Amino acid sequence: MTWARRVVPAAAAALAALAARDLTQRDHALLRNFPVLGRARYLLEAIGPELRQYIVAGNNEERPFTRDQRRWVYASAKQQNNYFGFGTDNDIEYTPGYPIIKHRTFGRAVPPSAPNAGHDVRLPCAKVLGAARGRSGAFRPESVVNISGMSFGSLSGNAVAALNRGAALAGCLQNTGEGGLSPYHRNGGELVFQIGTAYFGCRDERGRFSLARLRDLVAAAPVRALEIKLSQGAKPSLGGLLPGAKVSAEIAATRGVPAGRDCVSPSRHAEFSDCDSLLDWVELLAAETGLPVGIKSAVGDLGFWHELTDLMRDTGRGVDFVTVDGGEGGTGAAPLIFTDSVSLPFQQGFSRVYSLFAERGLHEQVVFVGAGKLGLPDNAVVAFALGCDLVNVGREAMLAIGCIQAQKCHTDTCPTGVATQNAWLARGLDPARKSVRAANYIRTLRRDLMKVAEACGVEHPGLIGTDSVEFLDGRTGSTPLHEVYGYQPGWGLPSADDQAALVRLMSGEAPRGGSAPPSPTAVS
């Protein structure tokens, strides 16, 4: 027991030293009054999220994603059984605002019975992006589900690489985020290049926007569209700061900034100051690159949207797509007041913006993209019914490649290597393996969207109308989606020509239902 005679005195001495320190320090009254023992409180506080996540909280209590929602993403990513048994544990009867999707007994599309049917089906966009304005680089996105803007710098290089490889495997687009186009974005996936207020990746030595550098960048990478970021749902009207300690040589080269110095994103763009100059810049970028150009924004005051749509109607200039980011969307770091209370949640924000475009006859000329917890099938179906043509997934894609909702994105200590620049933590994320999980998740989400569309009697989620969704008012009442948001007949759907083209595209894509031929009696 020689080791005990050595260890016990050493441990006692350490505790005594810790107690002495606690008694003499003046920062924490709890520790001064209860030396050593008071530290248990800080320990419990530190691991409180984990205790609640795995032990205390129920299946549908956690936010931003419940245990059931996370389980569905994880199982989908791993191609495991993502079904649930016994019935819903959601409080459907007493939850106002709960969405109900209305299936049809007889419809054009008949759902197949096999559980895995439709897993590899294509789900292209209902509209050709950029066609309405004659962009030379117009194209039809191959997937209605795409990966949202998450910058290299906010995410680790391995996480970005996993998502890009996953995008290539799933045949979808990846948005670069405003942090520039890094080497990790060059793993086969096609890109939407996001232009933020700091013009990372397309700026000169003085931090000003450089059209020449933008042209060179998009010519050397598989960039299919440009997105001007005006604001973000979780932190609208704020800029950003990447501390100098995180600005590695790699990040500096990607963004075009000095290494080791604070990297600041202003709160506003320098290239335009109102809707008129914004549209001038949109048309300049489109003319110089040939690519479709759109905007991303959270929704607050509607004055901007009134002016934008009026100018598009009256001048002929316009954006090719609009990405509406809901206030429930994610971020690497933001003040609590902004994540909790600034900007409208997705459904309210999107419906108001869509209505303004529709009232001016512009809704069939613009591709609408939704973001903000739309990587879950129920939320996505409502988004399509409201008029979305595409949905972007961010945190759900992070979950698919290993995120455990530790909510440490802002501390650089993400335990799974997703949202960190710590090399040791990032090495735990294998891009090759995690890319397969990202692709599996995206394919499964598309499959479920396809299944719901067929249950509603149509061939594609973009053809789900507002008459297919109701919101419960409680146990005894409900309100149709179009009444909730004041939609007129036909709103939320593509043009008649786009609908017909989409039906043609989908013919033969998905296996159809039916288990046996009809009986002679039925035939007669």
Side-chain angles (χ1 to χ4, degrees):
M1 300 296 290
T2 304
W3 66 271
R5 289 196 295 270
R6 292 177 180 175
V7 172
V8 171
L15 284 173
L18 186 60
R21 183 184 184 282
D22 289 346
L23 285 167
T24 56
Q25 60 82 36
R26 297 177 179 275
D27 292 329
H28 304 286
L30 180 65
L31 293 183
R32 249 190 133 182
N33 293 336
F34 300 95
V36 182
L37 290 176
R39 292 181 176 271
R41 181 262 181 193
Y42 297 105
L43 174 63
L44 290 172
E45 182 182 44
I47 64 174
E50 288 79 5
L51 288 174
R52 291 189 293 274
Q53 186 176 78
Y54 295 108
I55 299 174
V56 178
N59 289 340
N60 289 294
E61 291 179 351
E62 293 179 79
R63 294 292 183 270
F65 294 93
T66 69
R67 184 178 297 143
D68 277 350
Q69 291 169 341
R70 296 198 313 276
R71 178 189 146 194
W72 180 82
V73 173
Y74 293 145
S76 299
K78 298 173 185 177
Q79 285 194 308
Q80 296 175 348
N81 185 349
N82 65 357
Y83 280 37
F84 287 72
F86 204 64
T88 182
D89 54 6
N90 292 348
D91 191 9
I92 294 177
E93 309 97 308
Y94 300 102
T95 304
Y98 194 97
I100 294 295
I101 300 161
K102 298 159 61 179
H103 70 283
R104 293 183 185 275
T105 304
F106 302 111
R108 295 195 310 262
V110 180
S113 300
N116 292 322
H119 191 267
D120 294 318
V121 70
R122 287 192 328 138
L123 273 186
C125 181
K127 299 171 184 172
V128 177
L129 181 56
R133 312 202 66 75
R135 311 301 189 198
S136 60
F139 72 105
R140 185 188 298 273
E142 288 295 310
S143 172
V144 297
V145 180
N146 299 285
I147 298 174
S148 192
M150 295 178 284
S151 300
F152 170 52
S154 178
L155 266 57
S156 68
N158 281 354
V160 173
L163 293 173
N164 188 256
R165 291 186 185 187
L169 291 172
C172 73
L173 299 166
Q174 180 190 23
N175 191 302
T176 63
E178 65 177 304
L181 201 160
S182 72
Y184 302 103
H185 287 103
R186 300 174 185 269
N187 284 277
E190 293 188 328
L191 302 168
V192 175
F193 181 69
Q194 188 179 90
I195 304 174
T197 56
Y199 309 114
F200 293 132
C202 54
R203 56 190 263 156
D204 63 17
E205 291 75 11
R206 296 175 59 185
R208 301 172 301 185
F209 171 71
S210 169
L211 184 58
R213 292 191 178 184
L214 176 66
R215 283 196 300 257
D216 291 344
L217 182 144
V218 300
V223 175
R224 303 301 306 274
L226 303 176
E227 181 180 77
I228 302 167
K229 179 180 176 181
L230 302 179
S231 60
Q232 180 179 344
K235 51 182 179 183
S237 295
L238 290 182
L241 171 67
L242 190 65
K246 293 185 179 181
V247 184
S248 64
E250 206 170 28
I251 290 175
T254 297
R255 298 194 174 197
V257 300
R261 289 171 53 180
D262 289 349
C263 183
V264 178
S265 298
S267 62
R268 298 290 187 276
H269 280 267
E271 293 302 299
F272 52 86
S273 56
D274 55 23
C275 288
D276 193 45
S277 53
L278 165 62
L279 289 178
D280 281 343
W281 202 54
V282 166
E283 295 296 341
L284 170 68
L285 298 182
E288 292 291 333
T289 65
L291 298 176
V293 181
I295 57 174
K296 173 183 178 177
S297 180
V299 180
D301 177 69
L302 290 181
F304 162 78
W305 298 100
H306 278 280
E307 185 178 356
L308 177 69
T309 51
D310 284 345
L311 284 169
M312 286 181 60
R313 179 195 60 196
D314 297 339
T315 69
R317 297 168 296 161
V319 297
D320 299 295
F321 66 97
V322 172
T323 302
V324 173
D325 197 15
E328 65 271 60
T331 181
L336 183 64
I337 179 63
F338 278 82
T339 58
D340 283 357
S341 302
V342 182
S343 85
L344 289 168
F346 172 76
Q347 288 182 18
Q348 293 191 41
F350 180 85
S351 61
R352 296 182 192 184
V353 168
Y354 182 92
S355 296
L356 291 176
F357 278 85
E359 287 167 357
R360 289 154 180 77
L362 301 169
H363 57 303
E364 295 177 351
Q365 305 171 22
V366 174
V367 170
F368 290 97
V369 187
K373 294 186 71 174
L374 301 185
L376 304 168
D378 53 343
N379 292 344
V381 167
V382 176
F384 281 112
L386 283 171
C388 275
D389 302 295
L390 304 171
V391 295
N392 284 348
V393 297
R395 287 170 295 176
E396 301 92 335
M398 292 168 61
L399 291 169
I401 63 171
C403 169
I404 60 171
Q405 195 171 283
Q407 297 178 288
K408 297 182 183 296
C409 313
H410 60 298
T411 66
D412 203 33
T413 59
C414 171
T416 58
V418 176
T420 181
Q421 296 306 307
N422 182 297
W424 172 257
L425 295 172
R427 67 173 289 279
L429 194 158
D430 181 350
R433 291 179 180 271
K434 297 299 187 181
S435 64
V436 175
R437 294 190 178 181
N440 287 339
Y441 157 70
I442 291 167
R443 291 190 185 110
T444 303
L445 176 56
R446 291 194 303 228
R447 180 200 70 186
D448 281 11
L449 292 173
M450 186 70 187
K451 284 188 172 185
V452 174
E454 289 171 331
C456 293
V458 295
E459 299 85 353
H460 186 281
L463 300 177
I464 297 175
T466 56
D467 59 340
S468 292
V469 180
E470 292 192 9
F471 287 111
L472 300 183
D473 302 328
R475 188 175 181 86
T476 59
S478 64
T479 306
L481 180 62
H482 63 271
E483 290 186 19
V484 173
Y485 292 116
Y487 272 34
Q488 297 179 17
W491 286 11
L493 292 171
S495 69
D497 288 343
D498 283 335
Q499 291 183 53
L502 191 58
V503 171
R504 289 195 298 271
L505 283 171
M506 296 306 298
S507 62
E509 268 295 323
R512 297 303 171 196
S515 57
S519 68
T521 303
V523 171
S524 62

